[in-house]
Amino acid sequence: MKKTSRLAILVVAAMLVVSLLSVTGCGAKEEAEKKPIKIGVVLSESGANEPLGKPERNAIELYVKRLNANGGINGHPVEVIIKDDQSDSNKAQQAAIELLEQEEVVALIGSSGTGPTLAMKQEATKRGVPLVCMAAGANIMEGDFTWVFRTPPTATEAGKKALAYIAEDLGVKKVGLLYDTNPFGTDGKAVVEAEAGRFGLEVVASEGYGTNDSEDTMDTHLTNIMTAKPEIILVWGTNPGPAIIAKRMKDKGIKVPYVGSHGIANQQFIQLAGEAANGVVFPAGKMLIYDKVLEPGSEEYEFIKDFDQAYQEEYGQPINTFAGHGWDAILIITEALKRAGADATPAELRDEIEKTQGLVGTAGIFNYSSKDHNGLSPDDLVMVEIIGSKWEPVKK
C-alpha cells in the first residue's frame, strides 16, 4: 500500500474516533441531564406519630439512594421532597397542597397516621394525583378511593386476626376494649365492636383515652374497664398510650392478658413499656419476624433480608414495620413508573399502580385492582408475642 493511502486511512479512522467520542459524550451528557421525577412525601416526623414517621423517612430515602445509584428510572433520577406534618391533619393537608402546587409532584406518599392521611386524600382526589399511604385506618378507603392506595394491612384485617386469636387461642369470651380517641383508635374500635360477635366474643366495656393522657388518667380508664370484669384487655392505639397502659397494668397487678393492635409493632413500644412489654401479643406483618416464619430462599424471605441488611448497614438499627411501610410505598410507585415510563402523567401512573399484581413487599404480596386498593390479604399477617423484650411467633 502506498504511503499516501495509509495516511488517508489513518485520517479517516481518527475522524471516526472523534465522531464516536463526540456522540458518546453527548449521550452521557444527555443521560446526566435527564429531568428528575419528583415524588412528594408527607410524614409525621414529630408529634404523637413520630415513632412511625422517622423510620418511614429512613426507608424512603435509602430506597431512593439505591435506585438512583443504579440509574434511576430509565436514567431519570427520582427526587423525594419530604415534609413533616407534625402528626397534625391540617398541616398534612397544607403540606400536600404545597407539594402539588409548588413542586408539581407526579405522586404523593403519606402520611403516617390515619387523620393526616384522610386530609391528604382530599387534595390528591381533588387534583387527580395518586397517593400511596402508610396508615391503617379502614375509613381511608371509604367513599371515593380512586386515587388512594395503601401499604399496611387494614384495621379490619388486623382486628379480625386479633379477635380470632382471642377466641381460638386464648379461649375467652369477655373483651375489655381500650382505644385511642384519635382516628386510628376509633377505627379499630368500630372494627372490633362490629366483628367481635362473629367470633363468639362480647365486648363488655369500651373505654376511650386521649393520645397524650398521663399515667394517672390511664389508671382511671383501667379502673373503669376492670369493673366490667373482662377476661382480656384489647388495646387499640399507637405509642405512647399502649406502652403506658402496659406499665400501669403491671404496676397495678392486673393479670388478664394484654392484646395490642398492629400500631405497636415497633421497638419503641418495648423501650417505653420495659418489662411490662413481655407477654403482650399483637397482629403484625411477617417482616417483623421473617427469619422465624418465612422459608429461607423464598422470594419474600430474600426480599426482606435484603431490606434488613441494607437498612442496618445504613442506619445501624433493626428494621421495623413502619420502615417497611415506607419501603413498600416508594417501591409500589417506582415499579409502576418503570412500567408506565418516566414521563407518565399522574393519571397514567395511577392506572399502572392499579395493575400491580404479585409484587413482593415487606408487608406481603401486593395485588391491587379497581375494586381493591388495599392490596394485602389476612394471610399476610401473623400473631407476635413479646418474650424477653424480643418478638416471637405465637405458639399454638
PDB file of all heavy atoms in Angstrom, residues 289-317:
ATOM      1  N   ILE A 289     -40.766 -10.713  62.041  1.00  0.00           N
ATOM      2  CA  ILE A 289     -40.057 -11.924  62.475  1.00  0.00           C
ATOM      3  C   ILE A 289     -39.859 -12.853  61.271  1.00  0.00           C
ATOM      4  O   ILE A 289     -40.067 -14.056  61.361  1.00  0.00           O
ATOM      5  CB  ILE A 289     -40.838 -12.647  63.605  1.00  0.00           C
ATOM      6  CG1 ILE A 289     -42.320 -12.794  63.239  1.00  0.00           C
ATOM      7  CG2 ILE A 289     -40.690 -11.911  64.917  1.00  0.00           C
ATOM      8  CD1 ILE A 289     -43.117 -13.608  64.248  1.00  0.00           C
ATOM      9  N   TYR A 290     -39.440 -12.245  60.162  1.00  0.00           N
ATOM     10  CA  TYR A 290     -39.394 -13.001  58.900  1.00  0.00           C
ATOM     11  C   TYR A 290     -38.474 -14.215  58.975  1.00  0.00           C
ATOM     12  O   TYR A 290     -38.727 -15.245  58.349  1.00  0.00           O
ATOM     13  CB  TYR A 290     -38.951 -12.081  57.756  1.00  0.00           C
ATOM     14  CG  TYR A 290     -37.486 -11.730  57.733  1.00  0.00           C
ATOM     15  CD1 TYR A 290     -36.583 -12.443  56.950  1.00  0.00           C
ATOM     16  CD2 TYR A 290     -36.997 -10.675  58.495  1.00  0.00           C
ATOM     17  CE1 TYR A 290     -35.236 -12.114  56.925  1.00  0.00           C
ATOM     18  CE2 TYR A 290     -35.656 -10.342  58.473  1.00  0.00           C
ATOM     19  CZ  TYR A 290     -34.781 -11.064  57.689  1.00  0.00           C
ATOM     20  OH  TYR A 290     -33.435 -10.739  57.658  1.00  0.00           O
ATOM     21  N   ASP A 291     -37.394 -14.088  59.764  1.00  0.00           N
ATOM     22  CA  ASP A 291     -36.451 -15.205  59.844  1.00  0.00           C
ATOM     23  C   ASP A 291     -37.011 -16.374  60.655  1.00  0.00           C
ATOM     24  O   ASP A 291     -36.417 -17.455  60.681  1.00  0.00           O
ATOM     25  CB  ASP A 291     -35.125 -14.739  60.459  1.00  0.00           C
ATOM     26  CG  ASP A 291     -35.319 -14.069  61.803  1.00  0.00           C
ATOM     27  OD1 ASP A 291     -36.422 -13.590  62.086  1.00  0.00           O
ATOM     28  OD2 ASP A 291     -34.350 -14.031  62.586  1.00  0.00           O
ATOM     29  N   LYS A 292     -38.181 -16.163  61.289  1.00  0.00           N
ATOM     30  CA  LYS A 292     -38.799 -17.219  62.090  1.00  0.00           C
ATOM     31  C   LYS A 292     -40.083 -17.771  61.472  1.00  0.00           C
ATOM     32  O   LYS A 292     -40.591 -18.802  61.919  1.00  0.00           O
ATOM     33  CB  LYS A 292     -39.106 -16.702  63.505  1.00  0.00           C
ATOM     34  CG  LYS A 292     -37.843 -16.279  64.249  1.00  0.00           C
ATOM     35  CD  LYS A 292     -38.152 -15.577  65.552  1.00  0.00           C
ATOM     36  CE  LYS A 292     -36.857 -15.132  66.225  1.00  0.00           C
ATOM     37  NZ  LYS A 292     -37.080 -14.319  67.417  1.00  0.00           N
ATOM     38  N   VAL A 293     -40.623 -17.056  60.474  1.00  0.00           N
ATOM     39  CA  VAL A 293     -41.898 -17.512  59.893  1.00  0.00           C
ATOM     40  C   VAL A 293     -41.853 -17.705  58.375  1.00  0.00           C
ATOM     41  O   VAL A 293     -42.797 -18.239  57.804  1.00  0.00           O
ATOM     42  CB  VAL A 293     -43.054 -16.543  60.247  1.00  0.00           C
ATOM     43  CG1 VAL A 293     -43.294 -16.511  61.746  1.00  0.00           C
ATOM     44  CG2 VAL A 293     -42.779 -15.140  59.714  1.00  0.00           C
ATOM     45  N   LEU A 294     -40.777 -17.259  57.708  1.00  0.00           N
ATOM     46  CA  LEU A 294     -40.679 -17.436  56.257  1.00  0.00           C
ATOM     47  C   LEU A 294     -39.555 -18.424  55.917  1.00  0.00           C
ATOM     48  O   LEU A 294     -38.567 -18.537  56.654  1.00  0.00           O
ATOM     49  CB  LEU A 294     -40.404 -16.097  55.566  1.00  0.00           C
ATOM     50  CG  LEU A 294     -41.548 -15.085  55.585  1.00  0.00           C
ATOM     51  CD1 LEU A 294     -41.080 -13.746  55.011  1.00  0.00           C
ATOM     52  CD2 LEU A 294     -42.749 -15.589  54.789  1.00  0.00           C
ATOM     53  N   GLU A 295     -39.717 -19.103  54.797  1.00  0.00           N
ATOM     54  CA  GLU A 295     -38.746 -20.106  54.372  1.00  0.00           C
ATOM     55  C   GLU A 295     -37.541 -19.427  53.713  1.00  0.00           C
ATOM     56  O   GLU A 295     -37.694 -18.673  52.747  1.00  0.00           O
ATOM     57  CB  GLU A 295     -39.418 -21.046  53.351  1.00  0.00           C
ATOM     58  CG  GLU A 295     -38.616 -22.272  52.984  1.00  0.00           C
ATOM     59  CD  GLU A 295     -38.481 -23.262  54.131  1.00  0.00           C
ATOM     60  OE1 GLU A 295     -39.380 -23.287  55.003  1.00  0.00           O
ATOM     61  OE2 GLU A 295     -37.498 -23.996  54.135  1.00  0.00           O
ATOM     62  N   PRO A 296     -36.323 -19.677  54.218  1.00  0.00           N
ATOM     63  CA  PRO A 296     -35.129 -19.106  53.560  1.00  0.00           C
ATOM     64  C   PRO A 296     -35.088 -19.521  52.092  1.00  0.00           C
ATOM     65  O   PRO A 296     -35.352 -20.684  51.761  1.00  0.00           O
ATOM     66  CB  PRO A 296     -33.972 -19.728  54.355  1.00  0.00           C
ATOM     67  CG  PRO A 296     -34.553 -20.024  55.700  1.00  0.00           C
ATOM     68  CD  PRO A 296     -35.978 -20.428  55.440  1.00  0.00           C
ATOM     69  N   GLY A 297     -34.771 -18.570  51.232  1.00  0.00           N
ATOM     70  CA  GLY A 297     -34.735 -18.845  49.798  1.00  0.00           C
ATOM     71  C   GLY A 297     -36.015 -18.452  49.085  1.00  0.00           C
ATOM     72  O   GLY A 297     -36.004 -18.288  47.868  1.00  0.00           O
ATOM     73  N   SER A 298     -37.116 -18.292  49.824  1.00  0.00           N
ATOM     74  CA  SER A 298     -38.360 -17.852  49.192  1.00  0.00           C
ATOM     75  C   SER A 298     -38.219 -16.381  48.796  1.00  0.00           C
ATOM     76  O   SER A 298     -37.393 -15.644  49.350  1.00  0.00           O
ATOM     77  CB  SER A 298     -39.548 -18.029  50.137  1.00  0.00           C
ATOM     78  OG  SER A 298     -39.442 -17.139  51.233  1.00  0.00           O
ATOM     79  N   GLU A 299     -39.038 -15.964  47.825  1.00  0.00           N
ATOM     80  CA  GLU A 299     -38.923 -14.586  47.330  1.00  0.00           C
ATOM     81  C   GLU A 299     -39.177 -13.576  48.442  1.00  0.00           C
ATOM     82  O   GLU A 299     -38.486 -12.573  48.556  1.00  0.00           O
ATOM     83  CB  GLU A 299     -39.905 -14.358  46.177  1.00  0.00           C
ATOM     84  CG  GLU A 299     -39.686 -13.040  45.454  1.00  0.00           C
ATOM     85  CD  GLU A 299     -40.582 -12.872  44.241  1.00  0.00           C
ATOM     86  OE1 GLU A 299     -41.377 -13.773  43.951  1.00  0.00           O
ATOM     87  OE2 GLU A 299     -40.495 -11.822  43.594  1.00  0.00           O
ATOM     88  N   GLU A 300     -40.184 -13.847  49.291  1.00  0.00           N
ATOM     89  CA  GLU A 300     -40.483 -12.923  50.393  1.00  0.00           C
ATOM     90  C   GLU A 300     -39.317 -12.841  51.373  1.00  0.00           C
ATOM     91  O   GLU A 300     -38.921 -11.760  51.817  1.00  0.00           O
ATOM     92  CB  GLU A 300     -41.737 -13.380  51.127  1.00  0.00           C
ATOM     93  CG  GLU A 300     -43.040 -13.034  50.457  1.00  0.00           C
ATOM     94  CD  GLU A 300     -44.221 -13.432  51.323  1.00  0.00           C
ATOM     95  OE1 GLU A 300     -44.683 -14.577  51.195  1.00  0.00           O
ATOM     96  OE2 GLU A 300     -44.669 -12.615  52.125  1.00  0.00           O
ATOM     97  N   TYR A 301     -38.777 -14.007  51.734  1.00  0.00           N
ATOM     98  CA  TYR A 301     -37.665 -14.046  52.698  1.00  0.00           C
ATOM     99  C   TYR A 301     -36.469 -13.245  52.166  1.00  0.00           C
ATOM    100  O   TYR A 301     -35.901 -12.405  52.883  1.00  0.00           O
ATOM    101  CB  TYR A 301     -37.266 -15.496  52.950  1.00  0.00           C
ATOM    102  CG  TYR A 301     -36.124 -15.665  53.930  1.00  0.00           C
ATOM    103  CD1 TYR A 301     -36.358 -15.905  55.277  1.00  0.00           C
ATOM    104  CD2 TYR A 301     -34.798 -15.594  53.499  1.00  0.00           C
ATOM    105  CE1 TYR A 301     -35.309 -16.062  56.174  1.00  0.00           C
ATOM    106  CE2 TYR A 301     -33.740 -15.745  54.385  1.00  0.00           C
ATOM    107  CZ  TYR A 301     -34.007 -15.980  55.716  1.00  0.00           C
ATOM    108  OH  TYR A 301     -32.954 -16.126  56.594  1.00  0.00           O
ATOM    109  N   GLU A 302     -36.096 -13.493  50.912  1.00  0.00           N
ATOM    110  CA  GLU A 302     -34.914 -12.840  50.358  1.00  0.00           C
ATOM    111  C   GLU A 302     -35.135 -11.341  50.176  1.00  0.00           C
ATOM    112  O   GLU A 302     -34.218 -10.549  50.359  1.00  0.00           O
ATOM    113  CB  GLU A 302     -34.530 -13.492  49.014  1.00  0.00           C
ATOM    114  CG  GLU A 302     -34.129 -14.964  49.148  1.00  0.00           C
ATOM    115  CD  GLU A 302     -32.972 -15.189  50.119  1.00  0.00           C
ATOM    116  OE1 GLU A 302     -32.088 -14.316  50.204  1.00  0.00           O
ATOM    117  OE2 GLU A 302     -32.944 -16.248  50.789  1.00  0.00           O
ATOM    118  N   PHE A 303     -36.365 -10.935  49.832  1.00  0.00           N
ATOM    119  CA  PHE A 303     -36.657  -9.509  49.673  1.00  0.00           C
ATOM    120  C   PHE A 303     -36.485  -8.785  51.007  1.00  0.00           C
ATOM    121  O   PHE A 303     -35.852  -7.727  51.092  1.00  0.00           O
ATOM    122  CB  PHE A 303     -38.096  -9.326  49.157  1.00  0.00           C
ATOM    123  CG  PHE A 303     -38.485  -7.886  48.956  1.00  0.00           C
ATOM    124  CD1 PHE A 303     -38.248  -7.240  47.749  1.00  0.00           C
ATOM    125  CD2 PHE A 303     -39.077  -7.159  49.982  1.00  0.00           C
ATOM    126  CE1 PHE A 303     -38.592  -5.910  47.575  1.00  0.00           C
ATOM    127  CE2 PHE A 303     -39.417  -5.828  49.812  1.00  0.00           C
ATOM    128  CZ  PHE A 303     -39.190  -5.206  48.606  1.00  0.00           C
ATOM    129  N   ILE A 304     -37.077  -9.357  52.054  1.00  0.00           N
ATOM    130  CA  ILE A 304     -36.997  -8.706  53.370  1.00  0.00           C
ATOM    131  C   ILE A 304     -35.570  -8.756  53.916  1.00  0.00           C
ATOM    132  O   ILE A 304     -35.096  -7.792  54.537  1.00  0.00           O
ATOM    133  CB  ILE A 304     -37.992  -9.369  54.344  1.00  0.00           C
ATOM    134  CG1 ILE A 304     -39.432  -9.156  53.848  1.00  0.00           C
ATOM    135  CG2 ILE A 304     -37.842  -8.785  55.748  1.00  0.00           C
ATOM    136  CD1 ILE A 304     -40.471  -9.940  54.632  1.00  0.00           C
ATOM    137  N   LYS A 305     -34.876  -9.845  53.668  1.00  0.00           N
ATOM    138  CA  LYS A 305     -33.487  -9.954  54.133  1.00  0.00           C
ATOM    139  C   LYS A 305     -32.622  -8.858  53.510  1.00  0.00           C
ATOM    140  O   LYS A 305     -31.792  -8.233  54.178  1.00  0.00           O
ATOM    141  CB  LYS A 305     -32.937 -11.340  53.770  1.00  0.00           C
ATOM    142  CG  LYS A 305     -31.510 -11.566  54.231  1.00  0.00           C
ATOM    143  CD  LYS A 305     -31.015 -12.939  53.793  1.00  0.00           C
ATOM    144  CE  LYS A 305     -29.552 -13.144  54.168  1.00  0.00           C
ATOM    145  NZ  LYS A 305     -29.043 -14.448  53.677  1.00  0.00           N
ATOM    146  N   ASP A 306     -32.816  -8.620  52.208  1.00  0.00           N
ATOM    147  CA  ASP A 306     -32.063  -7.557  51.527  1.00  0.00           C
ATOM    148  C   ASP A 306     -32.357  -6.202  52.157  1.00  0.00           C
ATOM    149  O   ASP A 306     -31.449  -5.404  52.424  1.00  0.00           O
ATOM    150  CB  ASP A 306     -32.434  -7.542  50.035  1.00  0.00           C
ATOM    151  CG  ASP A 306     -31.807  -6.366  49.311  1.00  0.00           C
ATOM    152  OD1 ASP A 306     -30.571  -6.277  49.280  1.00  0.00           O
ATOM    153  OD2 ASP A 306     -32.560  -5.511  48.795  1.00  0.00           O
ATOM    154  N   PHE A 307     -33.636  -5.938  52.413  1.00  0.00           N
ATOM    155  CA  PHE A 307     -34.032  -4.677  53.056  1.00  0.00           C
ATOM    156  C   PHE A 307     -33.419  -4.578  54.452  1.00  0.00           C
ATOM    157  O   PHE A 307     -32.867  -3.536  54.840  1.00  0.00           O
ATOM    158  CB  PHE A 307     -35.564  -4.623  53.127  1.00  0.00           C
ATOM    159  CG  PHE A 307     -36.120  -3.520  53.975  1.00  0.00           C
ATOM    160  CD1 PHE A 307     -35.661  -2.218  53.864  1.00  0.00           C
ATOM    161  CD2 PHE A 307     -37.143  -3.782  54.890  1.00  0.00           C
ATOM    162  CE1 PHE A 307     -36.194  -1.191  54.648  1.00  0.00           C
ATOM    163  CE2 PHE A 307     -37.673  -2.777  55.671  1.00  0.00           C
ATOM    164  CZ  PHE A 307     -37.194  -1.481  55.555  1.00  0.00           C
ATOM    165  N   ASP A 308     -33.488  -5.655  55.202  1.00  0.00           N
ATOM    166  CA  ASP A 308     -32.964  -5.695  56.571  1.00  0.00           C
ATOM    167  C   ASP A 308     -31.471  -5.354  56.590  1.00  0.00           C
ATOM    168  O   ASP A 308     -31.001  -4.499  57.360  1.00  0.00           O
ATOM    169  CB  ASP A 308     -33.219  -7.090  57.157  1.00  0.00           C
ATOM    170  CG  ASP A 308     -32.881  -7.188  58.629  1.00  0.00           C
ATOM    171  OD1 ASP A 308     -32.674  -6.135  59.271  1.00  0.00           O
ATOM    172  OD2 ASP A 308     -32.811  -8.308  59.157  1.00  0.00           O
ATOM    173  N   GLN A 309     -30.722  -6.009  55.717  1.00  0.00           N
ATOM    174  CA  GLN A 309     -29.272  -5.799  55.697  1.00  0.00           C
ATOM    175  C   GLN A 309     -28.923  -4.375  55.250  1.00  0.00           C
ATOM    176  O   GLN A 309     -28.037  -3.738  55.835  1.00  0.00           O
ATOM    177  CB  GLN A 309     -28.616  -6.833  54.779  1.00  0.00           C
ATOM    178  CG  GLN A 309     -28.690  -8.253  55.322  1.00  0.00           C
ATOM    179  CD  GLN A 309     -28.110  -9.288  54.378  1.00  0.00           C
ATOM    180  OE1 GLN A 309     -27.952  -9.050  53.185  1.00  0.00           O
ATOM    181  NE2 GLN A 309     -27.790 -10.458  54.913  1.00  0.00           N
ATOM    182  N   ALA A 310     -29.616  -3.885  54.234  1.00  0.00           N
ATOM    183  CA  ALA A 310     -29.342  -2.537  53.733  1.00  0.00           C
ATOM    184  C   ALA A 310     -29.665  -1.477  54.792  1.00  0.00           C
ATOM    185  O   ALA A 310     -28.910  -0.521  54.991  1.00  0.00           O
ATOM    186  CB  ALA A 310     -30.158  -2.281  52.464  1.00  0.00           C
ATOM    187  N   TYR A 311     -30.785  -1.673  55.493  1.00  0.00           N
ATOM    188  CA  TYR A 311     -31.223  -0.691  56.495  1.00  0.00           C
ATOM    189  C   TYR A 311     -30.250  -0.661  57.680  1.00  0.00           C
ATOM    190  O   TYR A 311     -29.861   0.398  58.164  1.00  0.00           O
ATOM    191  CB  TYR A 311     -32.636  -1.051  56.965  1.00  0.00           C
ATOM    192  CG  TYR A 311     -33.342   0.036  57.756  1.00  0.00           C
ATOM    193  CD1 TYR A 311     -34.117   0.998  57.111  1.00  0.00           C
ATOM    194  CD2 TYR A 311     -33.244   0.101  59.139  1.00  0.00           C
ATOM    195  CE1 TYR A 311     -34.772   1.983  57.818  1.00  0.00           C
ATOM    196  CE2 TYR A 311     -33.903   1.082  59.853  1.00  0.00           C
ATOM    197  CZ  TYR A 311     -34.670   2.020  59.198  1.00  0.00           C
ATOM    198  OH  TYR A 311     -35.321   3.004  59.917  1.00  0.00           O
ATOM    199  N   GLN A 312     -29.862  -1.856  58.129  1.00  0.00           N
ATOM    200  CA  GLN A 312     -28.949  -1.913  59.278  1.00  0.00           C
ATOM    201  C   GLN A 312     -27.577  -1.357  58.910  1.00  0.00           C
ATOM    202  O   GLN A 312     -26.930  -0.695  59.725  1.00  0.00           O
ATOM    203  CB  GLN A 312     -28.827  -3.353  59.781  1.00  0.00           C
ATOM    204  CG  GLN A 312     -30.136  -3.892  60.343  1.00  0.00           C
ATOM    205  CD  GLN A 312     -29.924  -4.857  61.494  1.00  0.00           C
ATOM    206  OE1 GLN A 312     -29.101  -4.626  62.361  1.00  0.00           O
ATOM    207  NE2 GLN A 312     -30.686  -5.937  61.517  1.00  0.00           N
ATOM    208  N   GLU A 313     -27.144  -1.596  57.684  1.00  0.00           N
ATOM    209  CA  GLU A 313     -25.843  -1.069  57.238  1.00  0.00           C
ATOM    210  C   GLU A 313     -25.873   0.458  57.173  1.00  0.00           C
ATOM    211  O   GLU A 313     -24.906   1.136  57.524  1.00  0.00           O
ATOM    212  CB  GLU A 313     -25.502  -1.648  55.861  1.00  0.00           C
ATOM    213  CG  GLU A 313     -24.164  -1.199  55.324  1.00  0.00           C
ATOM    214  CD  GLU A 313     -23.855  -1.829  53.981  1.00  0.00           C
ATOM    215  OE1 GLU A 313     -24.361  -2.947  53.705  1.00  0.00           O
ATOM    216  OE2 GLU A 313     -23.137  -1.200  53.197  1.00  0.00           O
ATOM    217  N   GLU A 314     -27.011   1.014  56.750  1.00  0.00           N
ATOM    218  CA  GLU A 314     -27.110   2.468  56.581  1.00  0.00           C
ATOM    219  C   GLU A 314     -27.333   3.189  57.911  1.00  0.00           C
ATOM    220  O   GLU A 314     -26.761   4.243  58.168  1.00  0.00           O
ATOM    221  CB  GLU A 314     -28.276   2.787  55.630  1.00  0.00           C
ATOM    222  CG  GLU A 314     -28.430   4.268  55.290  1.00  0.00           C
ATOM    223  CD  GLU A 314     -27.412   4.736  54.270  1.00  0.00           C
ATOM    224  OE1 GLU A 314     -26.717   3.878  53.691  1.00  0.00           O
ATOM    225  OE2 GLU A 314     -27.306   5.964  54.054  1.00  0.00           O
ATOM    226  N   TYR A 315     -28.193   2.611  58.757  1.00  0.00           N
ATOM    227  CA  TYR A 315     -28.614   3.347  59.963  1.00  0.00           C
ATOM    228  C   TYR A 315     -28.176   2.702  61.276  1.00  0.00           C
ATOM    229  O   TYR A 315     -28.367   3.289  62.349  1.00  0.00           O
ATOM    230  CB  TYR A 315     -30.137   3.501  59.960  1.00  0.00           C
ATOM    231  CG  TYR A 315     -30.659   4.260  58.765  1.00  0.00           C
ATOM    232  CD1 TYR A 315     -31.427   3.618  57.795  1.00  0.00           C
ATOM    233  CD2 TYR A 315     -30.371   5.610  58.593  1.00  0.00           C
ATOM    234  CE1 TYR A 315     -31.896   4.302  56.682  1.00  0.00           C
ATOM    235  CE2 TYR A 315     -30.837   6.301  57.482  1.00  0.00           C
ATOM    236  CZ  TYR A 315     -31.595   5.640  56.533  1.00  0.00           C
ATOM    237  OH  TYR A 315     -32.050   6.328  55.432  1.00  0.00           O
ATOM    238  N   GLY A 316     -27.655   1.486  61.204  1.00  0.00           N
ATOM    239  CA  GLY A 316     -27.230   0.819  62.433  1.00  0.00           C
ATOM    240  C   GLY A 316     -28.380   0.462  63.345  1.00  0.00           C
ATOM    241  O   GLY A 316     -28.207   0.320  64.559  1.00  0.00           O
ATOM    242  N   GLN A 317     -29.582   0.328  62.757  1.00  0.00           N
ATOM    243  CA  GLN A 317     -30.781  -0.009  63.530  1.00  0.00           C
ATOM    244  C   GLN A 317     -31.512  -1.162  62.852  1.00  0.00           C
ATOM    245  O   GLN A 317     -31.454  -1.300  61.623  1.00  0.00           O
ATOM    246  CB  GLN A 317     -31.727   1.188  63.601  1.00  0.00           C
ATOM    247  CG  GLN A 317     -31.143   2.425  64.230  1.00  0.00           C
ATOM    248  CD  GLN A 317     -32.081   3.612  64.062  1.00  0.00           C
ATOM    249  OE1 GLN A 317     -33.200   3.498  63.578  1.00  0.00           O
ATOM    250  NE2 GLN A 317     -31.602   4.785  64.451  1.00  0.00           N
TER     251      GLN A 317
END
